[in-house]
Amino acid sequence: MKNNNALKPAENEGYQSDTAHLDRVFHALSDPTRRAIVQRLSGSSGTVSMLAEPFDMSLNAVSKHLKVLEGAKLINRDIVGRTSVCSLNIDPLINANEWIQQYTQFWNEVLDSLEMHLDADEAEPGAPAKKDEQS
């Protein structure tokens, strides 16, 4: 198995800001209301009142959720007249997905290595038979 240095903290100045940004993204997505808002915005932009419609909460409460999403740069809010229009920014989602994919690749490699090791043990003379071969 190869050594995956991508999983180790980077030794550069950008690492701290990248980590802080990922923290904000995952925090923002940890709430089901905010995930539902992101889901709705994945189809099209919407006003605050449109986004608040399905929720049993005040516009002020929805606005607080939108501020968290804005802080994570997951949404953009544009003022059109007296109306706020929100749209999804997928870049932070892409970055979060890339981070997750590093670990998916790492664990796939670990499990592939374990499988090869177990297969090699079974191939040795005197190795215990597989459960389905014992019957």
Side-chain angles (χ1 to χ4, degrees):
M1 179 174 62
K2 63 183 174 183
N3 184 4
N4 194 341
N5 289 328
L7 298 179
K8 294 181 181 176
E11 302 286 336
N12 61 34
E13 295 172 16
Y15 173 73
Q16 289 300 328
S17 64
D18 290 347
T19 300
H21 187 251
L22 267 178
D23 290 348
R24 285 191 301 274
V25 169
F26 285 122
H27 168 73
L29 295 174
S30 70
D31 183 86
T33 300
R34 291 191 289 267
R35 286 194 306 272
I37 291 169
V38 167
Q39 178 75 33
R40 290 196 74 184
L41 290 174
S42 69
S44 65
S45 300
T47 64
V48 174
S49 56
M50 189 262 329
L51 293 170
E53 249 175 49
F55 304 109
D56 187 25
M57 63 179 70
S58 67
L59 283 175
N60 190 34
V62 171
S63 187
K64 288 180 182 180
H65 283 294
L66 293 174
K67 285 187 189 304
V68 173
L69 292 169
E70 278 183 291
K73 296 184 169 67
L74 285 163
I75 66 168
N76 299 314
R77 197 186 312 209
D78 297 314
I79 307 298
V80 179
R82 292 178 10 172
T83 306
S84 289
V85 178
C86 300
S87 60
L88 183 64
N89 177 16
I90 64 167
D91 291 340
L93 293 173
I94 291 169
N95 293 339
N97 185 54
E98 288 171 353
W99 183 85
I100 290 168
Q101 287 302 316
Q102 290 178 22
Y103 289 93
T104 301
Q105 179 181 351
F106 169 77
W107 281 109
N108 284 339
E109 290 173 4
V110 167
L111 293 173
D112 288 347
S113 177
L114 176 62
E115 181 180 30
M116 287 174 32
H117 177 74
L118 293 174
D119 287 347
D121 283 351
E122 287 178 0
E124 291 179 11
K130 293 181 181 177
K131 283 185 179 182
D132 58 344
E133 293 176 356
Q134 291 175 353
S135 309

